[in-house]
Amino acid sequence: MSAQARRRVAILISGTGSNMEALLASMDPAADPEHPATPVLVLSNDPRAAGLAKAAARGVPALAVDHKPYRGDRAAFEAALDAALEEAGAELICLAGFMRILTPAFVARWQGRMLNIHPSLLPRHKGLRTHERALEAGDAEHGCTVHEVTAELDDGPILGQARTPILPGDTPDLLAARVRRLEHRLYPLVLRRFAAGDRTPVMLQDD
Ligand code: GAR
């Protein structure tokens, strides 16, 4: 596919960036010449995020918009995000471990064009500590979800889920590692389909 025809993707992170790396690897033209998307920016709200150097090492523009100077003024922080996104010509956003809550106004501007990955089988366990909560609840299975972002936190149409059974002896760390591996499979699959206009949910099972 020609570079001009590809959807331009920005990936927003706050930390390690392992999902970002999986997404970048999947869009590498050497790996998938027909991929319908291309990364144009990796953006972090934390200048210390390890993912920034990983993106730069892959030749993808990487930028921090530190949220701290904007404390108390989310709209100004998001205006700075929007300026960077516009400068990069981003058409789609993938939230990949981006740990700031976005305002309804920002979400409305990107509605239908912004995806998120969440470490649980939504609608179960919205919010934080999802692996602990799945264990505490005695759930039989756990996993991750990619969904479109809407104004409600960890809500919005589900585009894909990957499931793993909860096993005797599982701990939050063991579950987190298993779910992380599933995330790295699921998010690239969903993005590839979404960028091509296919919103049919993808369902994966741990193997
Ligand atoms: C991922 O497990 C992602 O699902 C989670 O943060 C981690 C980021 O890891 N996101 C959330 O909890 C969002 N509410 P990564 O930086 O290695 O991709």
Side-chain angles (χ1 to χ4, degrees), residues 13-86:
I13 64 170
S14 296
T16 316
S18 70
N19 278 286
M20 171 212 75
E21 281 201 288
L23 291 172
L24 293 182
S26 73
M27 287 185 276
D28 185 339
D32 186 351
E34 295 304 316
H35 201 293
T38 188
V40 293
L41 181 66
V42 168
L43 197 53
S44 172
N45 65 294
D46 182 350
R48 297 161 309 173
L52 286 172
K54 296 176 189 168
R58 284 184 171 271
V60 177
L63 192 71
V65 175
D66 192 347
H67 67 275
K68 287 197 207 77
Y70 296 99
R71 191 157 283 152
D73 191 350
R74 271 182 204 273
F77 168 63
E78 291 177 352
L81 290 184
D82 265 332
L85 291 163
E86 190 176 332

Side-chain angles (χ1 to χ4, degrees), residues 15-20 96-99 116-119 127-128 131 154 180 183-184:
T16 316
S18 70
N19 278 286
M20 171 212 75
F98 184 70
M99 303 309 271
N116 181 45
I117 187 149
H118 182 76
L128 301 175
H131 312 303
D154 297 330
R180 196 66 61 95
E183 290 187 327
H184 298 165

Side-chain angles (χ1 to χ4, degrees), residues 12-207:
L12 271 54
I13 64 170
S14 296
T16 316
S18 70
N19 278 286
M20 171 212 75
E21 281 201 288
L23 291 172
L24 293 182
S26 73
M27 287 185 276
D28 185 339
D32 186 351
E34 295 304 316
H35 201 293
T38 188
V40 293
L41 181 66
V42 168
L43 197 53
S44 172
N45 65 294
D46 182 350
R48 297 161 309 173
L52 286 172
K54 296 176 189 168
R58 284 184 171 271
V60 177
L63 192 71
V65 175
D66 192 347
H67 67 275
K68 287 197 207 77
Y70 296 99
R71 191 157 283 152
D73 191 350
R74 271 182 204 273
F77 168 63
E78 291 177 352
L81 290 184
D82 265 332
L85 291 163
E86 190 176 332
E87 170 87 25
E91 299 170 292
L92 297 178
I93 293 178
C94 288
L95 303 179
F98 184 70
M99 303 309 271
R100 305 299 299 171
I101 291 176
L102 295 163
T103 65
F106 185 92
V107 172
R109 281 199 292 285
W110 287 93
Q111 184 125 8
R113 301 186 294 145
M114 179 158 57
L115 312 185
N116 181 45
I117 187 149
H118 182 76
S120 79
L121 293 172
L122 292 174
R124 287 188 75 68
H125 311 308
K126 298 180 178 184
L128 301 175
R129 295 182 58 254
T130 57
H131 312 303
E132 287 88 338
R133 285 160 57 211
L135 285 169
E136 284 160 15
D139 290 355
E141 58 174 6
H142 188 46
C144 53
T145 303
V146 177
H147 63 98
E148 279 185 52
V149 179
T150 54
E152 199 73 32
L153 183 70
D154 297 330
D155 209 86
I158 288 176
L159 297 166
Q161 288 191 311
R163 327 178 92 81
T164 184
I166 295 188
L167 306 171
D170 261 342
T171 64
D173 284 351
L174 286 171
L175 265 188
R178 252 183 6 261
V179 168
R180 196 66 61 95
R181 279 198 301 277
L182 288 174
E183 290 187 327
H184 298 165
R185 284 173 54 204
L186 181 69
Y187 212 173
L189 268 177
V190 171
L191 172 62
R192 197 184 196 291
R193 292 161 63 119
F194 189 83
D198 182 356
R199 293 171 190 215
T200 326
V202 184
M203 295 298 163
L204 296 181
Q205 185 72 45
D206 206 357
D207 44 32

